[in-house]
Amino acid sequence: MVDLINLVQTLTSPHPLDRYLELVRPTLTLRDMRAEITRVRHSAPGSVTLTLRPTRQWKGHQAGQYVQLGVVIDGVRHTRCYSPVNPEGGRDRHIELTVKAHPGGVVSPFLYHNAVPGMVVDLTPADGMFRLPEPRPERLLLISGGSGITPVLSMLRTLAAESHRGEVVFLHYAKSPAVLPHRAELDAIARRHPNFRIELRHPHRPERIDPGAPWIDLARPKGSGYFDYDELERVAPWFADAQTYVCGPQSLMDAVRKIYQAEQWDDRLHTEEFTLSVAAADAARAHGTVNFSASRVSAENNGATLLEQAESAGLSPEYGCRMGICFSCTAVRRAGCTRNLRTGETDSDPDQPIQLCISAPVGDVDIDI
């Protein structure tokens, strides 16, 4: 069967066979995975939750992993990473993605305003090492902030679906109760699982606090109001014996890491980031020439990422998340030195694959695009 597909693929060159099949039906593909949007919910202001039915290539996800979703906007295909919020192991082959519409963004506002049932999007298999281990730890601390709720919410819902008997704390920071998606699910989990402790934090006091809510919903918790050691001991005094999973804004991630590093508990901390925090490009200190050899295009190094410099030079390399997660922009560095902007490490070994979106040249460099 594989040989037959390869033969047909050769006959339809230069376009892959799936390009022809999608003209018959967008979800009729042999190799590329697609998904049809079957439900659209605006469960919180500024967010949209999409229910997707993937094609037959979908193998499921593990709680905490992400998928890449691709859409065509104004003739250009864009790809972004999103974590399913539904529990792993479902039998209905559907996934749920909650997308926060970021001001100035491209894909998230498009989905927020334009996603409708019947729309077909590109999809990749679930990936990522941020996931619940097997067997499940006896004690788990789940911390999130803002749109970082998605992977840890999938973990929480998975543990609830499995009737996990250990202790679980879910601590989430949001701007206000109104923008928190999936409150109904949190309500149901808190009511059904007395061993699950759900605590919400907001910088501003809600207009109305429901005294009957099954969770602890505080605007100004005791202490600083931000995540710190006292807050950690308050919500999960057993955290030294637990596995901790964190996803959220950089400030929250840094605060959690600082504590665990100081206590040398790094091996018990698991993090996921969907933002890229790098220093702004310093053109005054940049030097050398960037040579995109396959395109025969050269440009003076301005200190920006190689992806940005390629685009400024008029090239259109493939990219996805633009933050070093999806590897869509990987290209081969033929010669020269580059710096990984996430780690600060430099590397000058020739003919090595690098991610253009998180790499900046250090002097002359030759990239094979």
Side-chain angles (χ1 to χ4, degrees):
M1 183 64 177
V2 174
D3 291 340
L4 178 59
I5 293 175
N6 290 334
L7 175 61
V8 175
Q9 189 91 347
T10 301
L11 294 175
T12 59
S13 179
H15 301 295
L17 179 58
D18 284 340
R19 294 289 86 79
Y20 296 96
L21 293 175
E22 69 182 9
L23 298 176
V24 179
R25 193 174 74 234
T27 54
L28 180 61
T29 59
L30 290 176
R31 291 180 170 168
D32 295 345
M33 186 159 62
R34 306 275 169 75
E36 179 182 357
I37 296 175
T38 60
R39 188 183 183 198
V40 178
R41 290 185 297 145
H42 292 86
S43 58
S47 297
V48 60
T49 296
L50 310 175
T51 302
L52 289 85
R53 179 172 58 214
T55 50
R56 60 178 178 79
Q57 298 92 341
W58 176 248
K59 304 298 183 185
H61 77 286
Q62 292 179 268
Q65 289 188 308
Y66 66 86
V67 298
Q68 296 179 50
L69 182 148
V71 292
V72 177
I73 304 172
D74 296 331
V76 179
R77 188 176 301 278
H78 299 269
T79 304
R80 295 292 186 271
C81 297
Y82 299 105
S83 292
V85 296
N86 54 307
E88 68 177 58
R91 297 180 179 179
D92 59 0
R93 290 181 53 79
H94 283 72
I95 59 174
E96 288 183 341
L97 304 178
T98 293
V99 178
K100 173 72 173 178
H102 294 285
V106 176
V107 175
S108 61
F110 175 83
L111 292 172
Y112 180 78
H113 293 291
N114 299 282
V116 293
M119 177 185 289
V120 175
V121 298
D122 294 331
L123 195 69
T124 66
D127 199 0
M129 299 303 294
F130 186 74
R131 59 196 184 197
L132 287 176
E134 291 282 2
R136 307 302 193 208
E138 179 63 23
R139 288 170 165 169
L140 289 123
L141 173 57
L142 309 176
I143 305 173
S144 60
S147 57
I149 190 176
T150 53
V152 292
L153 180 58
S154 178
M155 292 179 174
L156 181 71
R157 295 174 74 181
T158 296
L159 294 168
E162 296 173 350
S163 298
H164 183 68
R165 296 182 177 276
E167 291 184 86
V168 179
V169 166
F170 176 84
L171 174 63
H172 179 70
Y173 292 80
K175 290 184 178 179
S176 73
V179 300
L180 175 64
H182 303 285
R183 287 185 70 95
E185 288 89 342
L186 293 175
D187 189 339
I189 290 172
R191 293 185 187 280
R192 295 172 184 170
H193 301 275
N195 54 322
F196 286 27
R197 182 182 178 91
I198 296 176
E199 299 218 10
L200 309 178
R201 298 287 185 268
H202 315 293
H204 304 291
R205 180 170 292 280
E207 294 181 358
R208 186 180 68 85
I209 298 178
D210 182 2
W215 52 59
I216 298 173
D217 193 346
L218 293 179
R220 290 186 178 277
K222 296 178 180 178
S224 66
Y226 297 96
F227 184 88
D228 56 20
Y229 200 99
D230 291 340
E231 175 80 303
L232 185 58
E233 284 197 317
R234 187 179 303 113
V235 299
W238 37 257
F239 72 95
D241 299 324
Q243 295 294 319
T244 299
Y245 294 81
V246 187
C247 184
Q250 194 64 46
S251 57
L252 176 62
M253 307 282 286
D254 291 344
V256 178
R257 282 199 187 99
K258 183 178 179 181
I259 293 174
Y260 279 72
Q261 288 173 355
E263 299 291 345
Q264 298 184 340
W265 295 330
D266 305 62
D267 60 329
R268 304 173 196 177
L269 179 64
H270 314 273
T271 62
E272 181 70 292
E273 298 180 67
F274 289 111
T275 57
L276 176 60
S277 177
V278 298
D282 186 352
R285 300 180 60 182
H287 64 282
T289 300
V290 183
N291 181 34
F292 301 107
S293 52
S295 304
R296 298 182 179 180
V297 172
S298 297
E300 185 177 350
N301 177 21
N302 62 18
T305 69
L306 282 164
L307 177 59
E308 293 170 326
Q309 297 203 47
E311 292 172 333
S312 297
L315 305 180
S316 301
E318 183 177 353
Y319 68 87
C321 64
R322 301 182 79 97
M323 60 182 70
I325 296 176
C326 72
F327 292 86
S328 298
C329 63
T330 299
V332 175
R333 180 192 57 232
R334 292 302 181 195
C337 181
T338 58
R339 174 178 287 107
N340 185 314
L341 297 176
R342 299 186 71 170
T343 65
E345 296 177 346
T346 58
D347 187 4
S348 57
D349 291 343
D351 300 322
Q352 294 298 310
I354 60 171
Q355 295 171 267
L356 300 180
C357 68
I358 58 170
S359 298
V362 181
D364 296 336
V365 67
D366 185 336
I367 307 298
D368 188 20
I369 61 173

